[in-house]
Amino acid sequence: MKVVAFNCSARKDGNTAVLIERVLDELRAEGIETEHVQLAGQKIQGCTACLKCIERKDGQCHGRKDFGNECIAKMHDADGIIIGSPVYFADITPEAKALIDRAGYVAGPNKEMLYRKVGAGVIAVRRAGAVHALDSINHLFLIRQMVIAGSSYWNLGIGREKGEVAHDEEGMRTMENLGKNMAWLLGKLNA
């Protein structure tokens, strides 16, 4: 089994990465292969609604020539998908939205390529907007018939400065529980 995590923060190795790594630690402890993809420094743009993905049904986005297709291919090959984002004005980053829109659009006409994969959102937040941002990520999982892993609280950690989220004990415990629950769910679905 494999889980791929997409860190949609513009800041490499920041708070979102810290939270994602805590989830991945638990998955690795259960023998699940993981990959952490950081979008910082990568170019990924939004969907152009060219509809070529529907016409060609080849698992690719044809409206953009950027990092998006590599991400979509990684989603296709994974059993579980984590999408992490910091909160920007009470929502996810533009990169997270671009990834969600393009992967979601491509997945439908391509044999529902995300069907019954396990999904989890992870949110880094300074103060407010985290639940709305998490909800934005969950929309992809729900509309593409994925199974969402939950935790002991909303999948968020609080921190502003780089690395500060590691001091949020409840947030880190939530990520640990999320990783354990995701591993359990993957095991049940792949039994």
Side-chain angles (χ1 to χ4, degrees):
M1 289 181 287
K2 181 174 183 178
V3 172
V4 62
F6 297 94
N7 177 354
C8 300
S9 175
R11 218 182 344 183
K12 189 172 184 177
D13 298 322
N15 287 324
T16 306
V18 170
L19 295 171
I20 287 172
E21 278 301 315
R22 188 67 196 100
V23 178
L24 296 180
D25 285 344
E26 292 301 320
L27 293 165
R28 291 181 197 117
E30 294 296 324
I32 297 170
E33 181 184 351
T34 66
E35 181 179 4
H36 188 165
V37 178
Q38 298 200 55
L39 297 185
Q42 298 288 347
K43 183 179 178 184
I44 184 165
Q45 297 176 299
C47 177
T48 63
C50 70
L51 307 181
K52 296 286 186 202
C53 60
I54 294 171
E55 177 186 318
R56 295 186 185 170
K57 293 180 178 57
D58 61 358
Q60 296 285 298
C61 172
H62 297 276
R64 300 284 189 181
K65 303 290 186 220
D66 60 17
F67 192 57
N69 277 329
E70 190 173 328
C71 294
I72 293 167
K74 288 177 185 296
M75 288 181 171
H76 179 269
D77 294 339
D79 300 293
I81 299 164
I82 295 169
I83 297 176
S85 177
V87 174
Y88 282 18
F89 288 90
D91 213 339
I92 55 178
T93 64
E95 293 80 8
K97 182 64 172 146
L99 176 65
I100 286 169
D101 288 352
R102 289 174 59 195
Y105 225 111
V106 169
N110 286 280
K111 300 179 183 176
E112 284 295 344
M113 67 184 220
L114 302 179
Y115 180 73
R116 292 194 180 158
K117 292 180 187 274
V118 176
V122 169
I123 300 296
V125 63
R126 179 186 70 84
R127 185 174 301 271
V131 174
H132 178 76
L134 183 60
D135 188 44
S136 292
I137 294 170
N138 285 339
H139 288 150
L140 168 68
F141 301 151
L142 291 169
I143 201 164
R144 287 297 161 224
Q145 302 180 70
M146 293 175 65
V147 180
I148 299 173
S151 187
S152 49
Y153 192 68
W154 304 116
N155 303 342
L156 64 94
I158 299 170
R160 180 179 184 158
E161 300 306 319
K162 193 172 184 177
E164 186 178 350
V165 75
H167 303 292
D168 175 9
E169 291 180 25
E170 184 178 15
M172 296 305 286
R173 189 170 50 254
T174 299
M175 296 305 123
E176 177 182 335
N177 292 333
L178 176 60
K180 288 177 181 176
N181 290 340
M182 194 170 193
W184 178 87
L185 186 54
L186 283 162
K188 293 294 184 184
L189 292 173
N190 290 287

